[in-house]
Amino acid sequence: MKIIYLIETFPDGLKTVKSHLSDINAKFTEFSSVAAALHQAKIAVEAPSLVVLLADKSLNNFQKDITSLKNSFFYSNIPRVSIIPGEMTGIMSSIPVLNDEHVFHMPVDKLKFLSSLAKLMNLPQRRTFKIIISIQPESGNLKYSGVSIDFSETGMAFESDFGMDLGNKINVSFVNPRNRNRMLLKAEIVRRVPVKSSNRIFYGVRFIGMNKDEMKNLSDFITGEVNPTGKE
């Protein structure tokens, strides 16, 4: 399983980031400083797939932290995201050390953040897209609504206040806004995580039983291509 290292240079600084990662059941290990993460490198059996660094409130310390990670044999080739506190955005917007960094400013946008992480960690191609979807359990006639988070060619993530169990089969329906074609895909619930501070639930599903037309239309949707002949 892919793991993310979080370097939290001041207490609770990455609270929102950790909440976003928990919502998708991502596995992460926390460190209170770059020095602690460098020590871990001496004993680690496996390298992380990504490092998320919270910028130290001292600009000088932050630049030293970035340099230490870049010069580390263990960390030098691992993708890295730097999180900049809101009050530091102005003084950090043009410093040279950030030229090669993937940067997010607080407050961190959930959808953009998770989409960037998927790309940096070489996860299957996904499209971050927030849209109202229709959900119909295979065993019933009632339909419920949810809000999509992202799509891939094998599945999708969404949030809904409707309770479903792992293994449940559902039909997911949504409209591709680029060509107005409605897509209807069968799926199975493979992940279920309550969303903190909300009555909604995060779901991960895998698509099942897709035919060639459905796979083509979904691929076009994910890449942003327009397929005007896609079937309803």
Side-chain angles (χ1 to χ4, degrees):
M1 177 182 291
K2 292 179 180 292
I3 189 169
I4 300 169
Y5 279 7
L6 302 182
I7 304 177
E8 194 170 36
T9 54
F10 53 88
D12 290 329
L14 292 177
K15 183 177 181 180
T16 300
V17 168
K18 286 186 278 189
S19 176
H20 294 340
L21 294 175
S22 295
D23 284 348
I24 62 169
N25 206 26
K27 186 177 180 181
F28 56 85
T29 299
E30 303 173 51
F31 300 93
S32 60
S33 65
V34 167
L38 291 172
H39 177 73
Q40 175 66 17
K42 299 177 182 178
I43 59 175
V45 176
E46 184 178 356
S49 298
L50 183 77
V51 173
V52 177
L53 171 65
L54 174 62
D56 191 290
K57 292 185 177 180
S58 162
L59 180 58
N60 186 51
N61 288 342
F62 175 54
Q63 293 185 91
K64 288 181 179 178
D65 284 343
I66 292 290
T67 300
S68 295
L69 291 172
K70 286 183 176 180
N71 291 340
S72 165
F73 178 80
F74 184 81
Y75 290 106
S76 60
N77 293 318
I78 296 173
R80 182 173 53 254
V81 172
S82 292
I83 307 294
I84 310 300
E87 66 271 22
M88 302 182 73
T89 298
I91 63 173
M92 288 191 175
S93 59
S94 60
I95 61 174
V97 75
L98 287 179
N99 289 345
D100 299 322
E101 298 295 298
H102 300 281
V103 176
F104 277 86
H105 298 276
M106 292 185 176
V108 177
D109 182 271
K110 179 179 180 179
L111 296 182
K112 291 181 180 179
F113 178 71
L114 295 180
S115 177
S116 292
L117 262 59
K119 293 178 182 177
L120 291 171
M121 295 170 69
N122 293 318
L123 298 177
Q125 184 177 16
R126 308 186 78 85
R127 179 181 181 184
T128 300
F129 196 76
K130 188 173 183 179
I131 191 173
I132 300 297
I133 62 172
S134 175
I135 307 156
Q136 182 177 9
E138 195 176 68
S139 59
N141 295 318
L142 295 178
K143 291 185 178 181
Y144 305 89
S145 64
V147 178
S148 65
I149 296 175
D150 63 26
F151 296 80
S152 75
E153 294 184 355
T154 58
M156 67 175 293
F158 64 87
E159 291 181 356
S160 176
D161 55 12
F162 172 61
M164 295 174 284
D165 296 322
L166 293 176
N168 282 177
K169 304 293 195 303
I170 61 175
N171 292 314
V172 178
S173 177
F174 60 95
V175 174
N176 183 345
R178 297 197 66 170
N179 56 19
R180 308 309 302 171
N181 287 335
R182 176 168 290 277
M183 301 185 66
L184 176 62
L185 300 171
K186 296 182 182 296
E188 178 183 2
I189 305 292
V190 295
R191 184 176 297 171
R192 182 186 192 277
V193 182
V195 178
K196 295 180 180 179
S197 303
S198 171
N199 63 349
R200 300 178 75 81
I201 301 171
F202 170 92
Y203 291 102
V205 305
R206 68 178 182 91
F207 297 129
I208 55 178
M210 286 195 296
N211 59 39
K212 290 183 179 180
D213 286 335
E214 289 169 336
M215 288 189 285
K216 177 64 167 62
N217 290 337
L218 179 60
S219 178
D220 290 342
F221 170 71
I222 292 170
T223 59
E225 297 291 334
V226 177
N227 180 14
T229 60
K231 296 182 178 181
E232 294 278 309

